[in-house]
Amino acid sequence: GMCEAFKKAQELPKAGTKDGELDAKLVDMNKKLLKAMGSIPSPLLLEPAGTELLTSQSFQDAFPELNVYIKAVTQCTPATSCNVWPRNEQNGLGVSGSEKDKKSERYRDSPYPWGITDDVDSTQTGLDENLRLFYRRAFRILKAENYRCSTDILEFRIKFFANSLFMEMPEAPSVQRMVSMCTLTPYFHEDCITDDVELHNKGAEGLSKIEILRAMYPKDWKHFLERVDPQGVLYECYSREEAAKENIWHQSLVSTNTGSVEGKNLQSQAALSKIFREEMEIWASMRQQTLHRTIRGVMHYEEAQQILAWMELQEQRGYRYHLARDRNQMSFEQEKKYNWSSVPIPQDSPQSLAAFADLYNRWLDRNPKKPYALEPISQLLARLRFNYVVTAQTMGDDLTSTNRDAKTRVRGLTELLQKYPGLRVACVESCDMFWKEKKRNVKCSTLFRWDHEQKKLVRVYRVVLGLLEGPIAKRNPIIGEGKAENQNQAMVFTRGETIQAIDMNQELFLEEAYKLRNLLQEFARDQKMGIVGFREPPMLTSSNTTSWMANVSQFTFVVFETRAFHNPMRARLHYGHPDVINRYVIQTMGGMSKAGTIIHVSEDVYCGLNCLQRGYNISQVDYIQVTKGWPNDLDQLIAFFKKCGAGSGEAQGFSRDSYRIGGNLDFFRLFSLWSTWPGWQIANILVLASCYIYLYARIIIGTFINSTDPADISPASLKVVVGWDAGSWNIMDQISFGLFVFLYFKWFAMVAVEDGLWGGWRFMMEHVEHVSILQFCFTLATWVGAFDECMLFGRAKYLNNGRGINVNHKPFAHLFRMYCYTHYMPAVELLFLLAFVAFGQDMMPHNPLRTWFFWLSAISWLYLPSFYNPMGLSWNRLLEDFTEWQAWMRSQNTVLPNDSWWAWWRQNMQGRSNGKLINRVVLFTRSLRYLILSLALGTATCWNLDLPLIELLAPPFLASLCVLFTATLCLRSDHFVFTSRTGINSLNGSGVLDSIKLLGWLLCAALLIVVLTTTRLTFGQLFGATAACLILEWGVSHLICESIGSIRIGRWEVIDFTMQPLIVDVNRLAAMFVGYVILVPLLILSVTKYLLNFAEIQTKFLYNTRVATAIKTSQIELGQRVRRGDLGILRVGALERRGAHLEEYEL
């Protein structure tokens, strides 16, 4: 607009130097300035510093009159001043003189010398006004300092938006002709807004959420204070109130002496503090994965369409318009008035604080309406082309609930409904209705909106979902997965030609919302378009290393890999939100979300399968993006991967859609689909299975060589068998090493495309620094475990992986329950196999180049959960974990899994043994490998002994029984008696246990002495054979419980193997051995805290410097408060149990 105005200025006669006119000298120099800026490449205008650009030789040659130009602009009255009140009053935006006098009179009695809420002309018209804006903007740009982006997200947004303008995209139609769209956001029990109480609740590490957010976003917090409280008055009142909460005397003063001066001051401070807390809640919610952040971002769609529609209307009416409501529209004098930081700080008195609060509210309320928001036609056009429905499934129950979390959710949604009139909320609620003259309670799908006249929530529509017969507990019409059905129940309230579902942990930016018309034009350009997907990069700032790695892995999939799936593979599916779907097409072929339970956990992919089978196109574009938040700790990440892995297993292995695609697609398309869909899962299984097959093959071959006379093996065969793994470097080693290098080169190439070579190299070095290969190995086991369990037992279910920031320590018992069968036990088995292959087979030399990946996998599976657990290497925390874990292991409770290992183990075994016969056969066949391993170990230790079988087997078998019985006696911390049906009953006070213990110890000692004195085996041979017997005994007991479980005759249960004392103790001891393998090395590391503090090293590795410093500072402050005893109503013992160990955080 400025350039067009300048071109018109060139056609006009030379302007004089009269008052109100522009200097001809400025107009002439402006021509040279435009030519100089046009001769410089655009990247040079963005990348270098302002001084470097202005002092460059090319700019000096193109525009030598720079200094003269700046001086002329500052001395030109028409360029530095503007009319405060608009002269164009036809559109209702002008202010008459009487109104101006009223505004001035309002501040006549103000304690401040001038008004701070003067209006600004936002509709500049005419050539002179536009040229003034251009000169003013040029002057500020040329004199700007420190203009670089202060935050990473700002730089990320500006770079992408600037790059996207040069990408190929459809031409945008007018708002009146654009394709309409509706957006859905499924919402359940996640945080809508982070309230003040939750922000200030201290965690186990003595750190609150607001302190974590300040450490994560220091520049954002600084900008927040500059924007909301530039004088620091509100923040000072808030700080005083927080300090007073710890002092009971101040609280009693406010409650009793409200009439005193200090009491009035505290009340005024509380009012100002409340203002600050409300703003802080919004600021904190916008930096977490909350519904408030998502709704505020999605409503940019409506705002962008309002702006564009208003601009189109102004152009049709023949008005010159300018939307920028910034400092370029103000004169230099006005800019000083609008600088809130120049307001004098009031004195500390009730009257001045009240006046300050009044002026502050007026400052916030100045010009609340934008010019496009005052135009009813633009609002109607925007709402016709876009509407937004939040499917808050439980809001109907939350409205009547007394739960604090429910009230917080309702408050957050209500505030958003008040702020955005076009927003709607759909939910499922219970309502009473008469059916056949009987009053019945039914479920209804209800649409809510905010009525600004009645100032309350009103129901727009209510749709009865069904009158289901039977008990009340079975009348729930939600028969499928919660998230899918939550979207389905709200589909009746949607309208428009397309539909988009956005998760509640995503965010849209205003500059991207401007390109909505271009995006939806893809459907108008291709009539066979079914789904259009676009970039889904992660939110940049991560709280820890785990979150950063999760963001990176998902970034490669949703940005780069899906781009390849679209072109050239043409096999992209619907991978979830925020893809835009042809609403008319999808509603006639099964809906956006499948309604079946279990098999439709990954409900998103079926929408893409339906489009693919029916011949519709699925596209991927790169000129628009929506950021997404990913898990913030290891538990959240693993829950997400388990949900995806299990859902993929159900969809890929058991759905009819897979069968139809396999039978109807051509070979090349099917091959592409294989690599994008089930191929990933099966490739992971083959990778991990190859590790175990390789090691077991070596062990079996070594056992064959040891147990066979060398004379019976031909020399050629012996040479091949013995030396097959002795080569130092072959083609397979080169391929494996090349794939490892390619893994890191992939990151470099993908990031270098957008951030340059240096950015790609720096990103790759961050991968190396964060030891990403270990997390890759750990994630691989998670995918395989979830997929394998789903294929065997069909336990796919939706897992709520959580959205919040978590820096609290998790007990080892929790980690053991979560990772035992998927990571810990396979890792111990892999370590045993590696040790046996490396040190137990002399005739077959071991080449470490073959097994480096195996060692990395075993180490990551065993120790990564503890290493990614905050304070996981702290000596005191490890002692607490060790004590709690041992109590959990020894507990005899058979009902509560969180209180007893026995109950947790029974729950897992019953789930496995209740599967189908074919599944139990698979488990039985897998468990046979333990028998093979015990046989190989026994053969390797005793292969050269020519002894009778009874003399070879009896000593290790008896020794293993002694070990089992001794360990069982050590586990008994109470007096118990075993029964086959009810488990263990207490015998406290019976006086029987002491005699039984003494007799048991004597028998074990006598038997062990007899074995050691009579056996002809050496100690090493006896030790290896005893270990083989222990593996055999555990393998048999595990096989029986996992494959058989119990024996039934009809309805009668004859025997339950999970309640048999011998089998229970054998499996318990095996689980305890796994736990000791994990905990003992960690305890050894942590005990050296006075020499090398691994806990501090771990904290610095997990978190960035600011968050790590905040954690350590909070621990020190908490310890000092415990020492001083000034914790108020908090008990010292409770804090110590939560982990405030004082000696570990000495200054």
Side-chain angles (χ1 to χ4, degrees):
M2 299 302 101
C3 294
E4 292 178 0
F6 177 72
K7 291 178 181 178
K8 292 182 179 180
Q10 296 179 11
E11 301 174 0
L12 296 176
K14 293 286 184 176
T17 57
K18 298 179 181 179
D19 293 339
E21 295 182 354
L22 297 172
D23 190 357
K25 186 178 181 181
L26 284 175
V27 176
D28 294 335
M29 284 191 293
N30 192 57
K31 298 178 184 179
K32 298 182 180 180
L33 174 63
L34 288 178
K35 293 180 180 179
M37 298 184 69
S39 63
I40 299 175
S42 57
L44 294 179
L45 296 175
L46 298 175
E47 292 297 331
T51 55
E52 296 178 4
L53 174 64
L54 296 180
T55 57
S56 62
Q57 187 62 37
S58 59
F59 194 83
Q60 293 291 337
D61 295 341
F63 189 57
E65 301 89 351
L66 175 63
N67 296 326
V68 180
Y69 175 79
I70 294 176
K71 184 177 180 180
V73 170
T74 56
Q75 295 177 354
C76 181
T77 302
T80 57
S81 63
C82 68
N83 295 325
V84 176
W85 312 107
R87 290 173 294 181
N88 180 20
E89 301 180 359
Q90 297 179 5
N91 53 6
L93 297 178
V95 180
S96 62
S98 60
E99 292 178 353
K100 179 180 177 181
D101 296 337
K102 292 179 181 179
K103 287 178 177 287
S104 303
E105 186 177 345
R106 184 173 59 182
Y107 300 104
R108 184 172 298 170
D109 300 329
S110 173
Y112 300 102
W114 39 264
I116 58 174
T117 58
D118 292 339
D119 295 327
V120 178
D121 181 13
S122 60
T123 56
Q124 299 288 350
T125 58
L127 179 62
D128 288 347
E129 287 84 350
N130 284 304
L131 284 175
R132 287 191 184 98
L133 290 175
F134 179 81
Y135 288 132
R136 203 169 294 120
R137 181 175 290 112
F139 174 75
R140 287 194 172 95
I141 289 176
L142 294 174
K143 297 290 288 184
E145 296 179 357
N146 301 323
Y147 64 89
R148 279 186 171 276
C149 300
S150 58
T151 59
D152 294 337
I153 186 64
L154 179 59
E155 183 178 358
F156 167 74
R157 290 173 58 177
I158 290 178
K159 280 187 176 181
F160 178 78
F161 182 73
N163 290 331
S164 67
L165 298 180
F166 297 93
M167 297 180 185
E168 180 183 356
M169 66 178 75
E171 185 177 352
S174 65
V175 178
Q176 303 177 28
R177 299 177 181 272
M178 66 175 287
V179 178
S180 57
M181 187 184 77
C182 175
T183 299
L184 284 178
T185 295
Y187 173 66
F188 189 56
H189 279 165
E190 298 85 358
D191 292 337
C192 179
I193 189 171
T194 308
D195 66 339
D196 181 71
V197 176
E198 186 178 355
L199 280 175
H200 292 86
N201 279 341
K202 298 285 186 179
E205 309 300 331
L207 202 63
S208 63
K209 278 190 176 181
I210 188 61
E211 292 171 340
I212 299 173
L213 291 173
R214 288 176 191 169
M216 290 176 58
Y217 303 95
K219 293 181 180 179
D220 290 9
W221 177 254
K222 178 183 177 182
H223 298 163
F224 167 73
L225 294 179
E226 291 176 356
R227 175 176 58 86
V228 174
D229 185 28
Q231 290 183 311
V233 178
L234 301 181
Y235 183 70
E236 183 180 358
C237 295
Y238 156 77
S239 301
R240 290 179 181 178
E241 189 177 31
E242 283 297 310
K245 286 183 179 180
E246 301 178 3
N247 194 323
I248 302 177
W249 181 81
H250 277 283
Q251 295 177 0
S252 62
L253 178 67
V254 176
S255 59
T256 57
N257 300 327
T258 55
S260 63
V261 175
E262 186 172 359
K264 289 182 178 180
N265 278 344
L266 290 176
Q267 288 181 344
S268 301
Q269 291 175 10
L272 295 175
S273 175
K274 183 180 178 181
I275 297 174
F276 185 82
R277 290 177 188 275
E278 291 174 353
E279 294 291 335
M280 187 170 59
E281 286 181 354
I282 298 176
W283 179 85
S285 301
M286 289 300 295
R287 277 145 190 87
Q288 298 183 82
Q289 299 179 35
T290 59
L291 183 66
H292 186 279
R293 183 175 188 174
T294 302
I295 292 178
R296 184 172 176 177
V298 174
M299 290 307 293
H300 285 320
Y301 278 142
E302 182 177 291
E303 182 180 4
Q305 306 320 308
Q306 284 187 15
I307 294 173
L308 295 173
W310 182 82
M311 294 175 70
E312 293 172 0
L313 290 173
Q314 297 299 316
E315 187 174 3
Q316 292 173 8
R317 295 167 180 171
Y319 295 151
R320 297 292 301 172
Y321 54 87
H322 189 271
L323 266 180
R325 184 176 284 266
D326 57 11
R327 294 184 176 183
N328 296 312
Q329 295 184 3
M330 308 177 192
S331 65
F332 295 161
E333 292 78 10
Q334 270 188 306
E335 184 182 0
K336 294 180 181 179
K337 289 186 178 182
Y338 272 79
N339 188 5
W340 173 250
S341 59
S342 62
V343 179
I345 300 177
Q347 300 295 324
D348 193 6
S349 65
Q351 293 79 10
S352 60
L353 286 175
F356 181 87
D358 180 59
L359 287 174
Y360 178 81
N361 291 328
R362 294 179 184 177
W363 178 65
L364 288 180
D365 295 337
R366 73 184 191 279
N367 297 328
K369 293 291 186 180
K370 305 293 184 181
Y372 55 83
L374 298 174
E375 177 64 57
I377 299 179
S378 64
Q379 295 182 27
L380 291 176
L381 282 175
R383 293 178 186 176
L384 283 174
R385 295 307 173 193
F386 171 78
N387 71 314
Y388 187 23
V389 179
V390 177
T391 62
Q393 182 176 341
T394 62
M395 184 177 176
D397 298 331
D398 292 343
L399 288 172
T400 58
S401 176
T402 58
N403 182 268
R404 177 183 167 277
D405 294 336
K407 290 182 177 179
T408 304
R409 290 193 293 268
V410 172
R411 178 177 73 89
L413 282 171
T414 304
E415 291 176 355
L416 290 168
L417 286 169
Q418 296 179 36
K419 184 176 182 180
Y420 302 107
L423 178 64
R424 299 292 183 266
V425 175
C427 68
V428 177
E429 65 173 352
S430 301
C431 55
D432 296 329
M433 67 173 297
F434 288 92
W435 178 260
K436 296 182 180 180
E437 300 181 355
K438 292 183 179 180
K439 187 177 181 180
R440 296 191 179 187
N441 183 269
V442 297
K443 296 289 185 179
C444 300
S445 183
T446 308
L447 185 69
F448 285 94
R449 70 174 178 89
W450 179 261
D451 193 318
H452 289 273
E453 295 180 357
Q454 302 181 35
K455 298 187 180 302
K456 67 175 185 178
L457 287 174
V458 295
R459 293 174 176 85
V460 184
Y461 301 108
R462 177 184 282 173
V463 180
V464 178
L465 294 180
L467 294 173
L468 304 182
E469 300 291 341
I472 296 178
K474 297 183 179 180
R475 293 181 184 175
N476 189 6
I478 305 297
I479 59 175
E481 294 297 330
K483 183 178 180 181
E485 291 285 57
N486 193 10
Q487 295 177 167
N488 289 334
Q489 64 90 15
M491 288 293 291
V492 68
F493 304 125
T494 62
R495 53 181 170 79
E497 301 161 86
T498 59
I499 188 168
Q500 178 191 39
I502 283 186
D503 279 332
M504 55 78 53
N505 60 340
Q506 295 183 290
E507 182 182 16
L508 179 75
F509 305 123
L510 178 61
E511 66 272 11
E512 302 302 317
Y514 286 123
K515 294 176 281 189
L516 177 64
R517 298 179 302 168
N518 307 82
L519 176 69
L520 298 180
Q521 197 66 12
E522 299 278 353
F523 293 94
R525 189 167 61 172
D526 185 359
Q527 298 299 321
K528 295 292 290 184
M529 186 65 68
I531 301 175
V532 176
F534 49 94
R535 291 166 55 102
E536 196 179 356
M539 297 175 183
L540 294 181
T541 305
S542 303
S543 60
N544 52 35
T545 300
T546 312
S547 177
W548 185 83
M549 290 298 304
N551 290 348
V552 168
S553 60
Q554 292 301 316
F555 176 71
T556 59
F557 177 78
V558 299
V559 174
F560 295 97
E561 294 180 4
T562 52
R563 183 187 302 164
F565 296 165
H566 162 60
N567 189 17
M569 298 172 68
R570 309 299 296 177
R572 188 190 187 277
L573 298 177
H574 176 49
Y575 297 109
H577 314 102
D579 293 357
V580 182
I581 306 170
N582 190 326
R583 180 170 172 267
Y584 295 149
V585 170
I586 204 64
Q587 279 193 329
T588 59
M589 60 181 192
M592 187 174 64
S593 302
K594 289 287 187 178
T597 183
I598 297 179
I599 198 171
H600 295 141
V601 170
S602 299
E603 84 284 351
D604 303 322
V605 72
Y606 289 94
C607 180
L609 292 176
N610 285 332
C611 288
L612 186 65
Q613 292 175 80
R614 288 167 171 81
Y616 287 92
N617 298 327
I618 303 176
S619 179
Q620 167 84 8
V621 297
D622 291 319
Y623 52 80
I624 189 172
Q625 66 178 3
V626 171
T627 59
K628 184 178 180 67
W630 295 99
N632 284 300
D633 65 356
L634 191 62
D635 280 3
Q636 296 179 10
L637 178 64
I638 296 305
F640 173 75
F641 284 150
K642 282 185 176 180
K643 177 187 68 175
C644 294
S648 300
E650 294 284 359
Q652 297 165 11
F654 304 113
S655 66
R656 291 174 291 181
D657 301 84
S658 303
Y659 177 78
R660 292 167 182 162
I661 286 179
N664 296 325
L665 283 184
D666 59 273
F667 174 77
F668 297 101
R669 193 82 177 277
L670 188 62
F671 191 73
S672 298
L673 189 65
W674 164 264
S675 62
T676 63
W677 191 27
W680 165 253
Q681 303 288 348
I682 297 176
N684 291 338
I685 293 178
L686 293 177
V687 167
L688 293 189
S690 64
C691 301
Y692 289 91
I693 293 173
Y694 169 78
L695 295 175
Y696 273 105
R698 277 192 58 104
I699 291 173
I700 293 173
I701 293 174
T703 303
F704 170 76
I705 294 174
N706 290 337
S707 60
T708 305
D709 189 355
D712 297 336
I713 305 176
S714 64
S717 300
L718 187 62
K719 181 179 179 181
V720 173
V721 171
V722 174
W724 73 299
D725 201 23
S728 59
W729 188 259
N730 57 24
I731 185 63
M732 292 305 298
D733 299 323
Q734 298 174 15
I735 292 176
S736 61
F737 183 76
L739 291 176
F740 175 72
V741 174
F742 177 77
L743 176 67
Y744 281 97
F745 182 75
K746 180 181 72 171
W747 307 114
F748 169 77
M750 289 187 299
V751 178
V753 170
E754 297 189 358
D755 294 342
L757 296 178
W758 172 246
W761 175 258
R762 184 178 56 189
F763 190 77
M764 190 172 66
M765 289 299 101
E766 289 179 356
H767 265 278
V768 177
E769 178 185 354
H770 289 88
V771 200
S772 60
I773 185 65
L774 293 180
Q775 184 160 345
F776 171 76
C777 297
F778 193 87
T779 305
L780 197 65
T782 304
W783 281 96
V784 172
F787 187 81
D788 177 70
E789 186 174 359
C790 177
M791 295 295 290
L792 283 175
F793 310 111
R795 295 181 189 171
K797 60 181 179 180
Y798 183 83
L799 298 175
N800 186 9
N801 51 297
R803 312 286 189 188
I805 299 173
N806 189 8
V807 296
N808 295 328
H809 177 81
K810 298 180 180 62
F812 180 72
H814 167 78
L815 300 180
F816 195 88
R817 287 191 297 269
M818 193 162 185
Y819 304 113
C820 180
Y821 285 109
T822 57
H823 296 83
Y824 287 163
M825 296 189 73
V828 172
E829 179 186 358
L830 189 59
L831 277 180
F832 186 85
L833 294 175
L834 288 169
F836 186 42
V837 168
F839 309 109
Q841 293 183 333
D842 297 335
M843 297 186 65
M844 295 184 65
H846 172 63
N847 188 356
L849 291 175
R850 308 285 190 274
T851 58
W852 64 271
F853 177 74
F854 304 167
W855 290 99
L856 283 178
S857 299
I859 292 173
S860 68
W861 299 349
L862 274 181
Y863 300 110
L864 204 67
S866 298
F867 191 62
Y868 279 170
N869 187 19
M871 304 306 296
L873 298 181
S874 168
W875 168 254
N876 294 302
R877 289 299 178 86
L878 281 174
L879 284 181
E880 282 187 357
D881 290 351
F882 185 70
T883 304
E884 293 179 5
W885 174 74
Q886 280 195 321
W888 179 73
M889 290 295 302
R890 296 184 180 190
S891 175
Q892 306 301 321
N893 190 316
T894 60
V895 179
L896 302 176
N898 291 335
D899 296 339
S900 169
W901 170 88
W902 193 356
W904 170 80
W905 174 75
R906 283 194 71 221
Q907 187 181 56
N908 280 275
M909 291 299 105
Q910 288 175 356
R912 292 168 179 261
S913 60
N914 291 334
K916 294 182 179 181
L917 179 61
I918 183 64
N919 297 334
R920 287 189 284 174
V921 170
V922 172
L923 293 175
F924 183 86
T925 306
R926 286 183 182 180
S927 299
L928 291 178
R929 71 183 188 272
Y930 302 120
L931 308 183
I932 297 173
L933 180 61
S934 64
L935 178 62
L937 180 60
T939 305
T941 55
C942 305
W943 65 274
N944 58 349
L945 298 180
D946 189 10
L947 296 175
L949 187 61
I950 187 65
E951 296 184 14
L952 196 62
L953 297 181
F957 182 73
L958 293 175
S960 66
L961 291 180
C962 292
V963 172
L964 288 177
F965 195 70
T966 304
T968 302
L969 290 176
C970 294
L971 288 175
R972 301 294 168 225
S973 59
D974 204 350
H975 298 200
F976 301 104
V977 62
F978 291 94
T979 62
S980 61
R981 295 300 301 273
T982 61
I984 298 177
N985 298 324
S986 176
L987 287 179
N988 277 332
S990 63
V992 178
L993 184 64
D994 293 336
S995 302
I996 295 177
K997 271 191 172 183
L998 179 60
L999 181 61
W1001 283 108
L1002 292 176
L1003 288 175
C1004 289
L1007 188 59
L1008 189 59
I1009 292 173
V1010 170
V1011 170
L1012 292 175
T1013 56
T1014 59
T1015 183
R1016 297 167 61 180
L1017 302 177
T1018 64
F1019 180 78
Q1021 292 171 343
L1022 180 62
F1023 181 81
T1026 302
C1029 290
L1030 290 173
I1031 294 174
L1032 176 63
E1033 291 160 1
W1034 174 76
V1036 172
S1037 64
H1038 180 73
L1039 183 148
I1040 292 173
C1041 295
E1042 189 177 45
S1043 304
I1044 302 174
S1046 61
I1047 298 177
R1048 293 177 175 270
I1049 299 178
R1051 296 183 178 180
W1052 300 96
E1053 183 179 80
V1054 178
I1055 184 172
D1056 184 1
F1057 290 107
T1058 61
M1059 299 296 294
Q1060 302 309 307
L1062 181 61
I1063 295 177
V1064 171
D1065 282 340
V1066 169
N1067 285 274
R1068 192 199 306 268
L1069 290 172
M1072 293 192 74
F1073 174 77
V1074 173
Y1076 288 139
V1077 170
I1078 301 170
L1079 285 174
V1080 170
L1082 297 178
L1083 287 169
I1084 294 174
L1085 284 178
S1086 62
V1087 79
T1088 61
K1089 61 179 181 178
Y1090 297 108
L1091 298 177
L1092 188 61
N1093 196 337
F1094 284 97
E1096 186 174 349
I1097 295 174
Q1098 178 199 19
T1099 303
K1100 291 182 179 179
F1101 174 81
L1102 285 181
Y1103 305 102
N1104 57 48
T1105 305
R1106 297 183 299 271
V1107 178
T1109 304
I1111 293 175
K1112 189 171 182 179
T1113 304
S1114 67
Q1115 292 285 356
I1116 295 173
E1117 292 176 354
L1118 191 59
Q1120 292 175 350
R1121 292 174 63 191
V1122 171
R1123 286 194 183 91
R1124 292 195 305 264
D1126 58 350
L1127 293 179
I1129 61 174
L1130 296 178
R1131 292 183 293 111
V1132 175
L1135 287 176
E1136 289 178 346
R1137 284 195 298 273
R1138 287 163 52 191
H1141 302 290
L1142 310 182
E1143 66 277 5
E1144 189 154 347
Y1145 300 99
E1146 295 285 348
L1147 282 174

